[in-house]
Amino acid sequence: MEPEPIITETPPPPPRRSPWSVETRRWVLLGLVALGVWLLYQLGEILPPIILAFLIAYLLNPLVVFLERRARLPRPLALALVYLALVALLIGALTWMTPVLYRQVRALILGLDETVRHIDTLLRQMTWLEALGIHPDTNTLLNQFGAELRALAATTPRVVVGVASSVFGGVLALVLSFYLLLEAEMIERNVDNAIPLEYRDEWHNIKAEFNRIWSSFLRGQVILALIIATLVTLTLTMLGVPNALLLGMLAGLLEVVPNLGPILAMIPAVLIALLRGSTLWAIDPLLFALIVVGAYFVIQQLENHLIVPKVIGASVDLPPVVVIIGALAGASLAGVLGIFLAAPILATARVFAKFLLRKLLE
């Protein structure tokens, strides 16, 4: 008796995929954009440490890759060495800077009475103010200073909470950046694979342009801020300007604002030089203030003609007025971080806008 043949059922063909219409694609895209904006708004409080984590990972990735290739170390070990060095550097900087900053801030607050006396002496020497009908009153200045100090004291608990929150955000950013760097190659590979094959070449070109902008600007801006902060601190210390470290840090932070930043950083230094004089040299306060202006001018010329071309170059290539407007908008949206990222974000948006325009106009 012959065995019965085994009948296998053929699986049904897969359902035919119908492409979305242009109208459907448009509405899906608008919905995704709206969802993204809503998520950004809802997650606004935790965005700064996340953004900071991406920036730290982007800045440290070349060091990790260098140790991988040159020292032939596994990526986890190279990453651990880089982070150990970073943590040691941060602890050393905080250990050195915190007592100095504390002394300078305390001296600045305790020296307000002396500053007011200097202002009174200076105003008495300006006899031409009386001819203009201006009658300056030192007592009014003292009352205003007292009101400002009382307002500052009232905000002290809020400042302490803000500092604690910033410290926690910084630690969170370091932890997140560690894991981002650990999985950096896999993340990049997954993003590349998610792009349709026919768009891969365009994606690689855009990615290379984005990397050029962010690599040269971001790393260059950090190096530039450190150089200017160091130069200003050393110069003001040699001249005997009080609070030199505070003024140097301010100059470094304001480097993110082109053209206008150095001027804003110079104003408090000149005022302190005019009102407090030099702690090292017996110089007339007015002459000393002019010397400080000259020192800032020399540093600015060195920056424009020697440091910036070597460190940053033409990575962003945006008009200064556009960067200033972007920095103002960034300050209102994300504070100091918004000011710092304004220029590369604008340059990135310009590249993306060019790509969209080219695609729309074919």
Side-chain angles (χ1 to χ4, degrees), residues 17 43 46 64 145 187 206 251 265 310 355 358:
R17 294 179 299 174
L43 303 177
I46 66 171
V64 177
F145 272 127
I187 294 173
I206 293 175
K310 298 290 185 181
F355 171 76
R358 188 167 62 245

Side-chain angles (χ1 to χ4, degrees), residues 156-175:
T156 300
R158 193 167 52 194
V159 171
V160 172
V161 172
V163 170
S165 177
S166 299
V167 171
F168 175 76
V171 174
L172 178 61
L174 281 175
V175 174

Side-chain angles (χ1 to χ4, degrees), residues 77-96:
L77 180 57
L79 187 56
L81 290 176
V82 169
Y83 267 77
L84 284 175
L86 176 64
V87 171
L89 183 63
L90 288 176
I91 293 175
L94 289 175
T95 303
W96 173 72

Side-chain angles (χ1 to χ4, degrees), residues 234-244 276-281 288:
L234 292 177
T235 303
L236 296 184
T237 301
M238 289 186 293
L239 290 176
V241 179
N243 311 110
R276 302 287 298 277
S278 174
T279 59
L280 297 178
W281 313 98
F288 185 53

Side-chain angles (χ1 to χ4, degrees), residues 180-359:
L180 283 173
L181 279 172
L182 193 61
E183 305 293 340
E185 295 179 347
M186 185 189 69
I187 294 173
E188 184 177 5
R189 186 166 58 249
N190 289 338
V191 171
D192 287 342
N193 292 335
I195 303 297
L197 191 60
E198 60 269 23
Y199 296 110
R200 293 273 174 88
D201 290 339
E202 291 180 323
W203 163 245
H204 289 154
N205 291 335
I206 293 175
K207 189 172 67 172
E209 186 67 17
F210 285 173
N211 187 61
R212 184 191 68 83
I213 293 171
W214 285 88
S215 175
S216 54
F217 177 85
L218 195 59
R219 298 185 183 108
Q221 193 66 55
V222 172
I223 295 172
L224 176 64
L226 291 174
I227 292 174
I228 295 301
T230 304
L231 276 177
V232 171
T233 300
L234 292 177
T235 303
L236 296 184
T237 301
M238 289 186 293
L239 290 176
V241 179
N243 311 110
L245 181 58
L246 279 174
L247 295 171
M249 292 177 63
L250 180 64
L253 288 174
L254 289 176
E255 277 302 311
V256 298
V257 184
N259 299 342
L260 192 60
I263 297 174
L264 294 176
M266 180 183 67
I267 292 174
V270 174
L271 289 176
I272 290 175
L274 183 63
L275 299 175
R276 302 287 298 277
S278 174
T279 59
L280 297 178
W281 313 98
I283 307 175
D284 179 74
L286 183 58
L287 177 60
F288 185 53
L290 293 176
I291 292 174
V292 172
V293 171
Y296 269 85
F297 178 77
V298 171
I299 292 174
Q300 180 67 14
Q301 294 306 308
L302 287 174
E303 176 188 351
N304 290 337
H305 296 96
L306 183 63
I307 302 174
V308 171
K310 298 290 185 181
V311 174
I312 294 183
S315 58
V316 176
D317 194 23
L318 290 171
V321 65
V322 174
V323 179
I324 291 174
I325 294 173
L328 293 175
S332 64
L333 293 173
V336 177
L337 190 61
I339 297 175
F340 182 71
L341 296 179
I345 287 177
L346 287 174
T348 303
R350 182 181 61 182
V351 173
F352 191 63
K354 284 183 177 179
F355 171 76
L356 287 180
L357 188 62
R358 188 167 62 245
K359 283 296 182 182

